[in-house]
Amino acid sequence: MEFSSRKDLWMGMIIWGCIGAFVWLFYQSLFVKFDILGLVIAASMIYFLGWIWFNTKYKIEGDMLNIHFGPIKKLTRNK
């Protein structure tokens, strides 16, 4: 069985606030003063935070609980 995560308001405000800050950094790095390092960092962080927000899943297989949030995975056994 696989379940998507529930989206909490306070966590959404934190993640989307960070995404907004990195979008602002991306805009500044592209249009105000061109900075390739700022573009790479901002684009990477926007992708990473979006990946965590949209792809958090819980999967139950037998007595194992697999938790995937972005690139991070955690396995737990039921005792």
Side-chain angles (χ1 to χ4, degrees):
M1 292 173 30
E2 187 169 317
F3 304 95
S4 294
S5 70
R6 203 174 77 184
K7 311 291 192 232
D8 290 331
L9 178 64
W10 70 272
M11 187 57 78
M13 290 178 8
I14 291 170
I15 288 182
W16 284 103
C18 290
I19 288 174
F22 284 114
V23 166
W24 178 79
L25 176 65
F26 186 84
Y27 173 80
Q28 293 290 321
S29 297
L30 187 61
F31 295 113
V32 176
K33 181 181 177 189
F34 187 77
D35 180 20
I36 193 72
L37 182 62
L39 287 171
V40 170
I41 290 172
S44 299
M45 291 304 294
I46 291 168
Y47 179 76
F48 179 73
L49 290 170
W51 191 8
I52 288 175
W53 181 255
F54 291 110
N55 290 324
T56 300
K57 302 213 183 313
Y58 303 96
K59 192 173 195 179
I60 301 171
E61 297 174 336
D63 64 343
M64 294 286 292
L65 173 63
N66 298 331
I67 304 169
H68 299 269
F69 45 101
I72 303 164
K73 297 177 184 177
K74 184 177 180 182
L75 304 171
T76 59
R77 285 195 185 271
N78 189 8
K79 295 180 181 184

